[in-house]
Amino acid sequence: MPAGHLHAVSGDGLVAGRAVCLAPVTLLDPADWAWPDDGDHEWPLCWICLALTH
């Protein structure tokens, strides 16, 4: 599981390892992970990624 904020990643980010907000990210297997509808206290959503993807 990732540590810190959860970030959204676009197609280019899958190659560069960068989130929509340009933060470096650890890419997770999409078969095991999905972007949640809402974050929680342990893994809050990145508010910049959330704003840019909604």
Side-chain angles (χ1 to χ4, degrees):
M1 295 301 291
H5 286 84
L6 297 177
H7 294 275
V9 178
S10 68
D12 291 339
L14 293 174
V15 176
R18 292 242 170 226
V20 173
C21 69
L22 302 181
V25 294
T26 301
L27 299 174
L28 303 172
D29 184 349
D32 296 329
W33 180 258
W35 181 249
D37 292 331
D38 197 8
D40 62 21
H41 69 281
E42 192 172 0
W43 293 294
L45 303 180
C46 170
W47 64 270
I48 297 171
C49 286
L50 190 60
L52 292 172
T53 57
H54 281 84

